[in-house]
Amino acid sequence: MFWPLYRCTFSQSTKLWCVLGCVVVGLLFQARQGRADEAAGDPASPQGPEIYGAIYLLGSLAKNRNLNVGGEELPSTSVHDGAGGGFRAGVFPASTGYVLGIQAESFGLGHEVAAPTSVGSSGIQSARGTLLAWTTMVSFIIQYPGKWLKPYVGIGAGWSSSYMIDTHMTKGTTTQTGTLLDTSLALQSVAGVRTYVTERGFVFGEYKYFATRYHWSGSLDPSLDLRTHIVALGIGLTF
């Protein structure tokens, strides 16, 4: 089962979508007006899509959420901060005024996970392991199409493949060890800014909230509801 990123009432959700809708309409109108002015000044100017690619490093500040082992949460589970990196490519069609676009990316991250020894319904229990995840996401992006600064926001979905290595989990007389594998649905929301340092080259900074639930197989049927704040810094080129 996967829990959504946000738990909003109908009224709150309606207000949020109204605000986002107004922002999109305003940006589209402003961008189209700007493109119309450019075309009027230079009728022969090309109007191709804006295509970009980038690489980046990231830091992952995970929220501590308890491992579930054998149908019972292990108290005081720690998901330590981690790091990783990734790459991405995106396109903003001219028909949207370069405001609405789509982006595909893949990134990897790692976290140490540990639950201290405690007493549960089946006796002594504990867990530890190293979580490595490789995630592929597709996001819809809204940007302000400035010349040198391009702030943006977006939402995305995809799949996250997890590998829990060096695993050692104990619950009563049952122990599970080795490497655990799982692929799960993932969601993210992003906000950032691209800053152009040359006509084509840019640097960017980004914040994203990432959410997924890993559910591994095995004698203890372990699972982890991962929520993390990710900060990314990278470089890229527009084509």
Side-chain angles (χ1 to χ4, degrees):
M1 180 178 179
F2 183 81
W3 288 276
L5 296 180
Y6 306 104
R7 297 181 182 274
C8 301
T9 66
F10 177 78
S11 177
Q12 290 172 328
S13 299
T14 301
K15 291 178 181 178
L16 177 61
W17 282 111
C18 285
V19 171
L20 288 176
C22 291
V23 170
V24 172
V25 171
L27 286 173
L28 281 170
F29 177 80
Q30 184 174 359
R32 286 183 177 275
Q33 186 63 42
R35 298 298 173 183
D37 293 342
E38 290 180 8
D42 184 9
S45 61
Q47 294 293 313
E50 176 186 304
I51 302 173
Y52 65 90
I55 58 175
Y56 58 92
L57 297 176
L58 62 84
S60 180
L61 310 177
K63 300 174 68 175
N64 288 331
R65 302 177 77 93
N66 290 334
L67 270 168
N68 190 301
V69 175
E72 184 175 0
E73 291 190 357
L74 302 189
S76 302
T77 299
S78 296
V79 183
H80 299 283
D81 296 341
F87 57 89
R88 63 176 53 164
V91 58
F92 286 89
S95 60
T96 70
Y98 303 103
V99 171
L100 301 178
I102 189 168
Q103 173 181 277
E105 66 178 324
S106 289
F107 60 89
L109 55 80
H111 293 277
E112 293 293 332
V113 180
T117 300
S118 60
V119 179
S121 59
S122 300
I124 301 298
Q125 57 188 15
S126 66
R128 70 175 186 273
T130 300
L131 172 64
L132 303 176
W134 186 259
T135 302
T136 298
M137 305 289 284
V138 176
S139 300
F140 291 99
I141 306 294
I142 302 171
Q143 73 169 0
Y144 175 75
K147 183 175 182 180
W148 300 106
L149 286 176
K150 297 189 177 185
Y152 60 88
V153 296
I155 56 173
W159 297 99
S160 184
S161 296
S162 63
Y163 306 85
M164 182 76 95
I165 63 174
D166 298 329
T167 304
H168 190 280
M169 299 180 179
T170 299
K171 185 175 180 63
T173 59
T174 305
T175 298
Q176 183 172 346
T177 60
T179 298
L180 312 181
L181 307 177
D182 177 63
T183 298
S184 300
L185 174 68
L187 299 176
Q188 68 177 10
S189 56
V190 304
V193 60
R194 284 190 284 156
T195 302
Y196 280 79
V197 294
T198 67
E199 185 175 349
R200 295 174 52 199
F202 63 87
V203 296
F204 73 92
E206 180 180 283
Y207 163 81
K208 69 173 67 182
Y209 184 75
F210 176 81
T212 189
R213 182 177 179 82
Y214 299 124
H215 192 165
W216 301 285
S217 60
S219 57
L220 290 175
D221 195 34
S223 63
L224 176 66
D225 188 16
L226 180 66
R227 301 288 187 271
T228 184
H229 303 277
I230 294 175
V231 177
L233 297 173
I235 57 175
L237 286 174
T238 297
F239 305 96

